[in-house]
Amino acid sequence: MTSTSTPAADPDDLPAQIRDQVDRILDGYNRRAVPFRDELLPPGGLHVEATRQPSGEWTPAAVPALALLRRADEWWSAAVNVAERIVDLDGNHRAELTAIATGLLSEAFRGRTTVLTAYAAATFDGDLAAGPRVSEAGTVRIGDVDIPLDGRAVAGPRPAKPEIGLTVAPGSDPREVAEFLRHVAEQIEKTGVYT
């Protein structure tokens, strides 16, 4: 296989016909991804230039940083499209195909995170913005133990608390309002939504 991932399911377990299809898809993707990888994940890390303002603050060069973010978004879009094609190849081998897609998406997401970290390092204190060192295997070394990070490490913000707005017309019967609220609450408890 030409995937750069280390999947949990072994792609070599795929039937030859599916493996050949995956190889063709990945060959095309890798030709497109190599420039992204070289630009956004250079050895030693990405560096965004910053200039000192008269106020004493450091400001990253916005145009190159924005261009890098656009490149990261292009890479992410390409990876998503290819991951979708791969996962949809065969429903009977979903685990192996998903493992391949995981590697593609993880690497593209890493490119975006690297750009944002470099931008933050140029904007704020470099050591503070760099954050903890995460290994290629997705672990953080604490003492002599490598502790794996789970999906929360790359998840977005927690969902906002639900907001419900209700306007009660003057003169409404309080019992009808209470009954309506109970109905809304029951539906949300049963289905998770109110329609």
Side-chain angles (χ1 to χ4, degrees):
M1 305 294 329
T2 55
S3 173
T4 58
S5 68
T6 317
D10 189 356
D12 290 332
D13 290 342
L14 291 169
Q17 181 182 3
I18 297 171
R19 193 170 51 242
D20 291 345
Q21 287 178 305
V22 169
D23 281 340
R24 280 193 297 278
I25 293 170
L26 288 177
D27 285 346
Y29 170 77
N30 284 333
R31 280 192 295 278
R32 185 166 180 207
V34 165
F36 293 126
R37 193 177 300 123
D38 290 347
E39 182 179 7
L40 302 176
L41 295 175
L46 188 62
H47 182 70
V48 174
E49 292 295 324
T51 55
R52 179 162 278 208
Q53 301 300 312
S55 65
E57 294 180 3
W58 287 94
T59 306
V63 173
L66 288 175
L68 289 171
L69 275 174
R70 283 190 188 96
R71 296 285 289 159
D73 282 343
E74 288 175 41
W75 188 7
W76 177 254
S77 293
V80 166
N81 290 336
V82 170
E84 185 176 31
R85 287 177 57 203
I86 288 172
V87 170
D88 287 343
L89 280 175
D90 186 276
N92 293 326
H93 296 89
R94 187 62 47 102
E96 295 88 345
L97 295 170
T98 299
I100 294 167
T102 297
L104 300 175
L105 295 175
S106 296
E107 187 175 50
F109 191 84
R110 180 183 185 186
R112 182 173 177 75
T113 302
T114 300
V115 171
L116 292 172
T117 301
Y119 186 79
T123 305
F124 308 109
D125 179 87
D127 292 336
L128 182 62
R133 295 279 182 214
V134 180
S135 74
E136 292 284 326
T139 62
V140 175
R141 187 169 256 321
I142 305 293
D144 63 349
V145 177
D146 288 328
I147 300 173
L149 299 176
D150 63 21
R152 291 173 291 180
V154 295
R158 293 183 311 180
K161 291 183 179 180
E163 292 183 20
I164 298 174
L166 177 68
T167 303
V168 179
S172 297
D173 182 349
R175 288 179 298 246
E176 288 179 7
V177 172
E179 179 59 35
F180 175 74
L181 289 174
R182 279 192 286 279
H183 170 72
V184 170
E186 285 175 11
Q187 188 174 2
I188 291 172
E189 285 176 350
K190 288 179 184 175
T191 65
V193 294
Y194 174 73
T195 55

